[in-house]
Amino acid sequence: MKTAPRPASGKLLYAQSGGVTSVINASAAGVIEAARTHGVKVYAAHNGILGALREELIDTSKESKATIAALRHTPGGAFGSCRYKLKSLETHRAEYERLIEVLRAHDIRWFLYNGGNDSADTALKISQLGKAMGYDIRCIGVPKTVDNDLAMTDCCPGFGSVAKYIAVSTLEASLDVASMADTSTKVFILEVMGRHAGWIAAAAGLAGEGADAPPHVILFPENVFDEAAFLAKVKATVQRVGWCTVVASEGIRNAAGQFLAEAGTRDAFGHSQLGGVAPVLAALVKEKLGYKYHWALPDYLQRSARHLASKTDAEQAYAVGKAAVDYALAGKNAVMPVIVRSSDAPYRWKIEPAPLSKIANHEKKMPRNFMTRDGFGITAAARRYLAPLIQGELPPPYGKDGLPRYATLQNTMVAKKLPAFEI
Amino acid sequence: MKTAPRPASGKLLYAQSGGVTSVINASAAGVIEAARTHGVKVYAAHNGILGALREELIDTSKESKATIAALRHTPGGAFGSCRYKLKSLETHRAEYERLIEVLRAHDIRWFLYNGGNDSADTALKISQLGKAMGYDIRCIGVPKTVDNDLAMTDCCPGFGSVAKYIAVSTLEASLDVASMADTSTKVFILEVMGRHAGWIAAAAGLAGEGADAPPHVILFPENVFDEAAFLAKVKATVQRVGWCTVVASEGIRNAAGQFLAEAGTRDAFGHSQLGGVAPVLAALVKEKLGYKYHWALPDYLQRSARHLASKTDAEQAYAVGKAAVDYALAGKNAVMPVIVRSSDAPYRWKIEPAPLSKIANHEKKMPRNFMTRDGFGITAAARRYLAPLIQGELPPPYGKDGLPRYATLQNTMVAKKLPAFEI
């Protein structure tokens, strides 16, 4: 961990990256409020790193204290995010140099990048290039991803709220199915996010405990989909319980390595990809077992459902934002504030810096001992890990109209100083 | 309205019918708490009218006061519901006679049927047959349906909470899409319930007002789907706003009268029906406009989301349950307590009895003047009607585990007195 004296002047640039979450703006609020305390002006890049490349910078000092506070309970990415990965320093040096040029033009001395492992990699490279080019810039990663797959941190801000949404939705929909199973739907399939790691699917397991409680079957992307075992488990559950709730990760694959979501369906134009493993599983259940089914695919609803955020998650999201500023102003570089757990129950956590080099481009899978032997459920170890992350409620304020009062920013752009740059 | 002296003794039978809602149990709580006040014992039919036919009756007096109170915030149907419509009195007289036989065997003098227009029809027929068979039974309908399609009542308990869920979800997911549109999803499609009437889709319109606010396109089942007009509206919206949120009723049809959900897709087995108009629309957008899309289909999540219930709706659901008991014990017969609106803003409503004969088998469509001229939005008149129905929050209590504390009933069965009956 390198520390250095704080620059005499300078601004802080904050950017949001990749898929947004219901609490990424809480991290933004943590960043901006902490920086204001220290008298440091915060610019936000419009649409993530693209805004930095295009010199599209938002002056957050134009926003009121109340608006910034309201970011704590506003989902989505208030400054815009993007799916854009900077390529390697060797092949795309011009992009990195442009970034340094923009930072220099606006006297930006701290860069905080709020994202996943790709973003950690970018922040690390910029810190290295700044050094090589003799420009004093400190880069701090701010962790964010619903996928919960970042290395070094016990959990990722954004995950706990999706986990809570999926656990509550599994519980609620299962009460519905249980009421009607005698004459209607017997198998309900809920498709959840998670292309490579089954953390979100695992969280559904918190909805109930014991063989007869929903969800009865969880399908993790870490396991090869075994059609016969799946059908046998569904059939046994319907025969014993009367109905069956299945939670499936979007990323499950068959033995040939194909995504199930792409293996089965064809759209009106004959294309094979509609996205959606739930309808494929539903068709299988109907064809092989004859049960009436329903399926749900909440998609973006799950990662934007700020109305059902986990208080633990929202607090951690704010805390990593604030810590990132503290680290930056203390002169740390190429680190990320990560969450360290010291106790499961009562849940205790703190924040510590971890080097970006140990986070960049790593992916944390779910441990094998979090899945039951048959692969269709979660273990006690998984429950101990997951349980604290969905604890607590922190609903947004509601207006008289019955809708959450989410923040709307002015997003005042900073005047450009440089010629346009072709991306 | 006929009234008669209250029987000297007797029990009250309550049954839940058809698709459940997040507040149907609030009606059950209203029924049971009101009956307890009057010292009347309530039996609940297990799985709706089937429980009455099979003589599967639950003794609700075995449940504690706290458990019944908790029904007010528990989604699903606590005693089980069913999709089972009694056929005509002429062709299936034996079933109706069996019902009277069960009622007589257990000295049941009041029958409260919580459902939609089919249930109103059944309750009406039982009241008529009771009279014909000389058995003194008063039948009261208790309104319930997320479809909001019952005649005589201003709105239907169950609808307001789905409406709130869909409006909030549309708002939240749109914030997500707006953040990412520059490099990711440009068109987001949310499929909502509503096979014949567009009330739920219309409620999504409460998420925003003005041409640039989401949802930008609403597809109602009342209108024939016009592919060219739809694509033109989506394209114009993306070009102007940068992205586009579409809300589609599951029941939209093309000019040939086919459900779009059935017209486009084939599953792995070559069957045409997967359910899901959203993927069909998404494929169309991709094929014809080339935009990146995402789609969501919350299915049962929308009608079981008690965590996001409308306070207005939950209170009305409780009130109609209580009123049904008051009517029954006052000797009314063949009526339903309906909601009468006296003012939009401030919202004022009261409950009055309406004859089941005017509700049975009628279906209330959305008025044409609730849809904008181009058919893709809602009018000011629709807003005035819909706005009060999603007002207020009444979240369930949460446990330390971060999950709602939903009621679990013992559902103690009453000893049978009759031989089995073949349905």
Side-chain angles (χ1 to χ4, degrees):
Chain A
M1 220 69 61
K2 302 166 199 81
T3 60
R6 179 177 161 180
S9 73
K11 302 183 195 75
L12 186 150
L13 179 66
Y14 167 77
Q16 301 180 321
S17 179
V20 293
T21 79
S22 65
V23 299
I24 185 173
N25 286 333
S27 294
V31 166
I32 296 168
E33 290 182 354
R36 285 186 178 187
T37 305
H38 291 284
V40 171
K41 184 175 275 198
V42 175
Y43 285 174
H46 184 227
N47 293 333
I49 201 73
L50 285 175
L53 284 166
R54 294 168 177 159
E55 201 192 358
E56 291 177 0
L57 308 177
I58 294 161
D59 185 352
T60 71
S61 72
K62 305 293 186 191
E63 308 292 343
S64 72
K65 192 173 169 182
T67 299
I68 298 304
L71 282 181
R72 271 185 97 148
H73 61 250
T74 300
F79 307 107
S81 184
C82 68
R83 293 212 178 279
Y84 185 83
K85 191 182 176 182
L86 287 177
K87 303 205 178 58
S88 81
L89 199 50
E90 291 69 36
T91 60
H92 285 70
R93 194 173 177 92
E95 284 198 338
Y96 289 89
E97 287 178 353
R98 162 71 176 187
L99 283 176
I100 298 290
E101 196 183 3
V102 171
L103 300 177
R104 191 191 303 265
H106 292 274
D107 191 25
I108 290 163
R109 295 295 173 170
W110 303 280
F111 176 54
L112 270 51
Y113 205 21
N114 201 168
N117 39 39
D118 280 356
S119 311
D121 180 62
T122 300
L124 179 60
K125 287 201 175 106
I126 295 173
S127 78
Q128 291 164 344
L129 190 68
K131 205 165 293 172
M133 289 175 65
Y135 182 69
D136 184 18
I137 178 80
R138 288 95 201 265
C139 299
I140 311 286
V142 185
K144 172 252 33 165
T145 170
V146 295
D147 294 330
N148 203 40
D149 61 355
L150 290 186
M152 300 298 289
T153 186
D154 181 67
C155 61
C156 300
F159 170 67
S161 294
V162 180
K164 188 178 184 102
Y165 175 92
I166 292 299
V168 172
S169 297
T170 299
L171 173 60
E172 291 180 332
S174 295
L175 287 170
D176 187 309
V177 175
S179 321
M180 308 283 300
D182 188 36
T183 53
S184 184
T185 299
K186 289 206 167 33
V187 178
F188 175 69
I189 302 165
L190 176 65
E191 174 170 342
V192 303
M193 287 180 158
R195 205 139 259 260
H196 305 295
W199 293 104
I200 296 176
L206 296 175
E209 198 164 355
D212 291 355
H216 308 96
V217 181
I218 302 177
L219 299 174
F220 300 99
E222 285 86 351
N223 299 332
V224 170
F225 177 68
D226 178 339
E227 181 179 311
F230 167 71
L231 290 170
K233 178 98 181 184
V234 169
K235 187 175 180 184
T237 305
V238 172
Q239 289 178 339
R240 196 178 69 250
V241 183
W243 51 281
C244 178
T245 294
V246 176
V247 174
S249 271
E250 60 181 336
I252 54 172
R253 296 165 190 252
N254 60 21
Q258 290 175 294
F259 285 116
L260 246 65
E262 292 175 359
T265 58
R266 298 204 167 267
D267 66 24
F269 310 99
H271 301 156
S272 70
Q273 217 270 55
L274 280 182
V277 70
V280 175
L281 293 169
L284 191 63
V285 163
K286 179 73 183 165
E287 177 78 12
K288 299 296 173 70
L289 302 176
Y291 295 136
K292 182 166 169 16
Y293 62 79
H294 257 246
W295 54 270
L297 197 161
D299 190 62
Y300 288 159
L301 272 54
Q302 68 199 284
R303 73 177 198 194
S304 62
R306 181 58 186 80
H307 74 268
L308 189 55
S310 151
K311 186 176 185 220
T312 300
D313 187 39
E315 287 179 349
Q316 290 178 339
Y318 184 85
V320 293
K322 180 180 179 302
V325 171
D326 293 342
Y327 293 171
L329 298 187
K332 289 192 171 63
N333 196 2
V335 298
M336 176 182 274
V338 297
I339 294 154
V340 178
R341 182 189 300 223
S342 56
S343 163
D344 291 323
Y347 180 50
R348 290 204 189 90
W349 57 278
K350 60 182 172 178
I351 291 183
E352 287 182 356
L356 287 177
S357 60
K358 292 196 173 174
I359 296 161
N361 303 318
H362 286 80
E363 191 178 56
K364 187 170 71 177
K365 294 279 178 82
M366 226 177 43
R368 184 60 189 88
N369 75 335
F370 275 22
M371 291 177 269
T372 51
R373 195 172 299 248
D374 71 0
F376 294 133
I378 61 169
T379 59
R383 286 180 192 280
R384 276 194 302 276
Y385 170 76
L386 292 166
L389 306 182
I390 69 164
Q391 286 168 5
E393 294 71 50
L394 199 65
Y398 282 79
K400 281 189 179 168
D401 60 4
L403 295 170
R405 286 234 173 284
Y406 291 139
T408 307
L409 272 62
Q410 307 174 51
N411 280 354
T412 309
M413 304 302 283
V414 176
K416 292 189 182 188
K417 301 183 174 188
L418 298 172
F421 177 78
E422 197 70 36
I423 294 170
Chain B
M1 221 69 64
K2 302 166 198 81
T3 59
R6 179 177 161 180
S9 73
K11 302 183 196 75
L12 186 151
L13 180 65
Y14 167 78
Q16 301 179 322
S17 180
V20 293
T21 79
S22 66
V23 299
I24 185 173
N25 287 332
S27 294
V31 167
I32 296 168
E33 290 182 354
R36 285 185 178 188
T37 304
H38 291 285
V40 171
K41 185 176 274 198
V42 175
Y43 285 173
H46 184 227
N47 293 334
I49 201 72
L50 285 174
L53 285 167
R54 294 169 177 157
E55 202 191 356
E56 291 177 0
L57 308 177
I58 293 161
D59 186 353
T60 72
S61 72
K62 305 294 185 190
E63 307 292 343
S64 72
K65 192 174 167 180
T67 299
I68 298 303
L71 282 181
R72 271 184 98 148
H73 61 251
T74 300
F79 307 108
S81 183
C82 68
R83 293 213 178 277
Y84 185 82
K85 190 183 177 180
L86 287 177
K87 304 206 177 55
S88 79
L89 199 50
E90 291 69 37
T91 59
H92 285 69
R93 194 173 178 90
E95 282 196 341
Y96 289 90
E97 288 179 353
R98 164 69 176 189
L99 283 176
I100 298 290
E101 195 184 3
V102 171
L103 300 176
R104 193 192 300 268
H106 292 276
D107 192 25
I108 290 163
R109 296 293 173 173
W110 303 280
F111 175 53
L112 270 52
Y113 204 21
N114 202 168
N117 40 38
D118 281 356
S119 311
D121 180 63
T122 301
L124 179 60
K125 287 201 175 105
I126 295 173
S127 77
Q128 291 164 344
L129 190 69
K131 206 165 293 174
M133 289 176 67
Y135 182 69
D136 185 17
I137 178 82
R138 289 96 199 265
C139 298
I140 312 286
V142 185
K144 171 247 41 164
T145 170
V146 295
D147 295 328
N148 203 40
D149 61 355
L150 289 187
M152 302 298 290
T153 186
D154 181 68
C155 61
C156 301
F159 170 67
S161 294
V162 180
K164 188 179 184 102
Y165 176 92
I166 292 299
V168 172
S169 296
T170 299
L171 173 61
E172 291 179 333
S174 294
L175 287 170
D176 187 308
V177 175
S179 322
M180 308 282 300
D182 188 38
T183 53
S184 183
T185 298
K186 288 206 169 31
V187 179
F188 175 68
I189 302 165
L190 176 64
E191 174 171 342
V192 304
M193 287 180 160
R195 204 139 259 260
H196 305 293
W199 295 104
I200 297 175
L206 296 175
E209 199 164 354
D212 290 356
H216 308 95
V217 181
I218 303 177
L219 299 174
F220 300 99
E222 285 86 351
N223 299 333
V224 169
F225 176 69
D226 178 339
E227 182 179 310
F230 166 72
L231 290 170
K233 178 99 180 184
V234 169
K235 188 175 180 184
T237 305
V238 172
Q239 288 178 340
R240 195 179 69 248
V241 184
W243 51 282
C244 178
T245 294
V246 176
V247 175
S249 272
E250 60 181 335
I252 54 172
R253 296 164 190 252
N254 60 23
Q258 288 176 295
F259 284 117
L260 247 66
E262 293 175 356
T265 58
R266 298 203 168 268
D267 66 24
F269 310 100
H271 300 156
S272 70
Q273 217 271 56
L274 279 182
V277 70
V280 175
L281 293 169
L284 191 63
V285 164
K286 180 72 184 166
E287 177 78 10
K288 299 295 173 71
L289 302 176
Y291 295 136
K292 182 167 169 13
Y293 62 80
H294 256 245
W295 54 271
L297 198 162
D299 190 61
Y300 288 159
L301 271 55
Q302 68 199 284
R303 73 177 200 194
S304 62
R306 181 58 186 81
H307 74 268
L308 190 56
S310 151
K311 186 176 185 221
T312 300
D313 186 40
E315 288 178 349
Q316 291 180 339
Y318 184 86
V320 294
K322 180 180 179 302
V325 171
D326 293 342
Y327 293 171
L329 298 187
K332 289 192 172 63
N333 196 4
V335 298
M336 177 182 274
V338 296
I339 294 155
V340 178
R341 181 189 300 222
S342 55
S343 163
D344 291 325
Y347 180 50
R348 290 203 187 91
W349 57 278
K350 60 183 172 179
I351 291 183
E352 287 182 357
L356 288 177
S357 59
K358 293 196 173 173
I359 297 161
N361 303 317
H362 287 79
E363 192 179 56
K364 187 170 71 179
K365 295 279 176 84
M366 226 176 44
R368 184 61 189 87
N369 76 335
F370 275 23
M371 290 177 271
T372 51
R373 196 172 297 250
D374 72 358
F376 293 134
I378 61 169
T379 59
R383 286 180 193 280
R384 276 194 301 277
Y385 169 76
L386 292 165
L389 306 183
I390 69 164
Q391 285 169 4
E393 294 71 49
L394 198 65
Y398 282 78
K400 281 188 179 168
D401 59 4
L403 295 170
R405 286 235 172 284
Y406 291 139
T408 308
L409 273 60
Q410 306 175 50
N411 280 354
T412 309
M413 304 304 282
V414 176
K416 293 189 182 187
K417 300 183 175 189
L418 297 172
F421 176 77
E422 197 69 35
I423 296 172

